């Protein structure tokens, strides 16, 4: 379906076809996040539709003549319209727009939503507070539906840059705490090394991470049961284009902790992590292999000139490591 809105066209398709196109992937790669790419969304959708066959995937491209200026993926399930991606596994959702075209893209998508989409309730979550495309769609939905509820439901800490180096970015207390944890772990297990997965090792490294996560608590065990298959598919798809790795913290040839890292543009995202809670060390009190791993990953990426995104959840350790929380917004509408 193609609709003309002002000077742009909205192309609407049901199903996954649009996610396979080069134009979608190129635009998501240049303007979006890992969660907007076809490889990520297809992994999510295959898991989602297997669990809920009645759900419908709807994709939208906003084009100006032959140029893509915006994209957005939606899910329609029993009258509920949402952005594609479940909150349990997807952090950032919603429209992506070319710089300077955010209002046009938002107006086009909102017009389709309110004029043509068959929903009774809308829950539009995953919108980043300080993102221009996200703010534009919020403003447009509220303009059309003044009773829409807009609220922050979570936060995603991030560090934008560290031109003087990561450790110099921190105050003396936080810097000393990080160095103390690193030294304490080195004293207990020996020198530390970061080992980055290769195409040949990524599957085994991921299985170790999921095993540790499943053993950590009933809640994380349930997560692995529910979403382990999705995580395996997603990491495999993104690893194939060098956009995902499992990074392990090693000492004396043994993995102590590991994290799934997503690479996109100038940003490193830590998607999930786990550590070995059964380290064969007599005195494990005060050891924090997970926090040490994350601190080393933050330092490595910031010192390479990248941004670091801790993703959803403003846990204390993320803030102590220097993360600055950014609100995640949901817009809820009924009609």
């Amino acid at each position: 379906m193609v609709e003309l809105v002002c000077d742009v066209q909205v192309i609407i398709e049901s199903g996954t076809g649009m996610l396979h196109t080069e134009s979608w992937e190129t635009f998501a790669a240049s303007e979006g996040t890992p969660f907007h790419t076809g490889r990520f969304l297809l992994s999510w959708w295959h898991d989602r539709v297997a669990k809920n066959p009645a759900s419908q995937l709807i994709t939208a491209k906003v084009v100006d003549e032959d140029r893509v200026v915006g994209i957005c993926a939606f899910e329609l399930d029993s009258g509920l319209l949402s952005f594609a991606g479940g909150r349990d596994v997807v952090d950032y959702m919603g429209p992506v727009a070319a710089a300077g075209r955010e209002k046009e893209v938002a107006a086009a998508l909102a017009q389709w939503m309110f004029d043509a989409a068959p929903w009774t309730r809308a829950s539009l979550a995953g919108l980043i507070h300080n993102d221009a495309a996200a703010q534009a769609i919020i403003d447009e939905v509220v303009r059309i539906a003044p009773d829409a509820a807009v609220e922050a439901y979570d936060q995603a800490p991030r560090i934008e840059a560290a031109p003087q180096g990561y450790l110099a970015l921190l105050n003396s207390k936080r810097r000393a705490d990080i160095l103390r944890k690193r030294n304490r772990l080195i004293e207990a297990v020996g020198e530390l090394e970061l080992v980055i997965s290769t195409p040949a090792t990524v599957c085994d490294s991921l299985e170790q991470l999921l095993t540790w996560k499943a053993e950590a608590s009933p809640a994380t065990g349930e997560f692995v049961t529910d979403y382990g298959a999705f995580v395996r598919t997603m990491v495999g798809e993104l690893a194939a284009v060098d956009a995902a790795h499992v990074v392990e913290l090693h000492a004396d040839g043994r993995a102590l902790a590991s994290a799934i890292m997503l690479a996109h543009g100038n940003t490193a995202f830590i998607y999930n992590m786990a550590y070995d809670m059964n380290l064969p060390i007599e005195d494990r009190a005060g050891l924090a292999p997970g926090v040490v791993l994350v601190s080393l990953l933050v330092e490595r990426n910031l010192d390479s000139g990248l941004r670091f995104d801790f993703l959803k959840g403003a846990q204390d350790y993320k803030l102590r490591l220097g993360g600055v929380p950014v609100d995640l917004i949901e817009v809820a509408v009924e009609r």
Side-chain angles (χ1 to χ4, degrees), residues 98-304:
R101 308 299 295 269
E102 295 90 357
K103 291 183 179 180
E104 293 171 83
V105 170
L109 293 173
Q111 181 171 329
W112 168 79
M113 285 171 51
F114 284 91
D115 291 352
W119 53 275
T120 56
R121 296 178 298 128
S123 175
L124 307 174
L127 296 167
I128 307 170
H129 170 68
N130 59 359
D131 177 78
Q135 190 59 55
I137 196 69
I138 293 169
D139 292 343
E140 191 63 21
V141 170
V142 171
R143 184 188 68 80
I144 298 172
D147 292 337
V150 180
E151 65 177 3
Y153 64 90
D154 210 329
Q155 293 180 314
R158 57 176 63 171
I159 305 176
E160 293 294 335
Q164 305 304 319
Y166 168 57
L167 291 177
L169 179 74
L170 303 174
N171 63 38
S172 58
K173 182 178 180 180
R174 289 179 174 176
R175 183 166 56 249
D177 184 56
I178 288 172
L179 294 176
R180 182 168 54 251
K181 284 182 168 63
R182 291 180 184 179
N183 290 333
R184 174 72 180 87
L185 188 60
I186 291 170
E187 290 172 1
V189 299
E191 289 300 315
L192 303 175
E193 178 187 13
L194 292 180
V195 178
I196 303 172
S197 66
T198 67
T201 63
V202 66
C203 291
D204 288 343
S205 295
L206 181 59
E207 287 306 315
Q208 179 66 84
L209 183 152
L210 292 175
T211 297
W212 285 339
K213 197 162 190 69
E215 295 172 347
S217 71
T220 56
E222 185 176 341
F223 174 87
V224 173
T225 298
D226 291 343
Y227 295 109
F230 156 74
V231 173
R232 293 180 183 95
T233 301
M234 179 270 293
V235 170
E237 284 291 322
L238 294 179
V241 292
D242 204 32
H245 300 88
V246 177
V247 183
E248 295 179 333
L249 180 66
H250 280 217
D252 194 26
R254 175 190 175 91
L256 311 176
S258 60
I260 299 170
M261 295 296 301
L262 306 183
H264 192 90
N266 67 344
T267 305
F269 303 80
I270 181 166
Y271 183 74
N272 222 313
M273 65 157 291
Y275 64 93
D276 187 353
M277 301 182 68
N278 299 300
L279 292 176
I281 302 171
E282 290 185 9
D283 180 15
R284 301 204 329 262
L287 297 184
V291 173
V292 170
L293 169 60
V294 177
S295 78
L296 291 170
L297 289 170
V298 176
E299 183 175 26
R300 175 177 178 270
N301 284 283
L302 286 171
D303 288 357
S304 296

Side-chain angles (χ1 to χ4, degrees), residues 33 69 80-81 90 94 136 146 149 155 165 183 193 203 231 265 270-271 286 306 321 329:
T33 73
V69 296
L80 175 64
L81 183 72
V90 181
Q155 293 180 314
N183 290 333
E193 178 187 13
C203 291
V231 173
I270 181 166
Y271 183 74
L306 300 177
L321 292 176
I329 307 297

Side-chain angles (χ1 to χ4, degrees), residues 66-85:
D66 293 331
R67 179 191 174 200
V68 177
V69 296
I71 59 174
C72 193
F74 298 88
E75 180 187 10
L76 184 61
D77 179 22
S78 302
L80 175 64
L81 183 72
S82 57
F83 294 131

Side-chain angles (χ1 to χ4, degrees), residues 35 40 44 85-91 223 227 230-231 271 312:
F35 309 103
F40 187 98
W44 168 77
R87 295 192 196 186
D88 288 340
V89 293
V90 181
D91 294 74
F223 174 87
Y227 295 109
F230 156 74
V231 173
Y271 183 74
K312 184 170 54 185

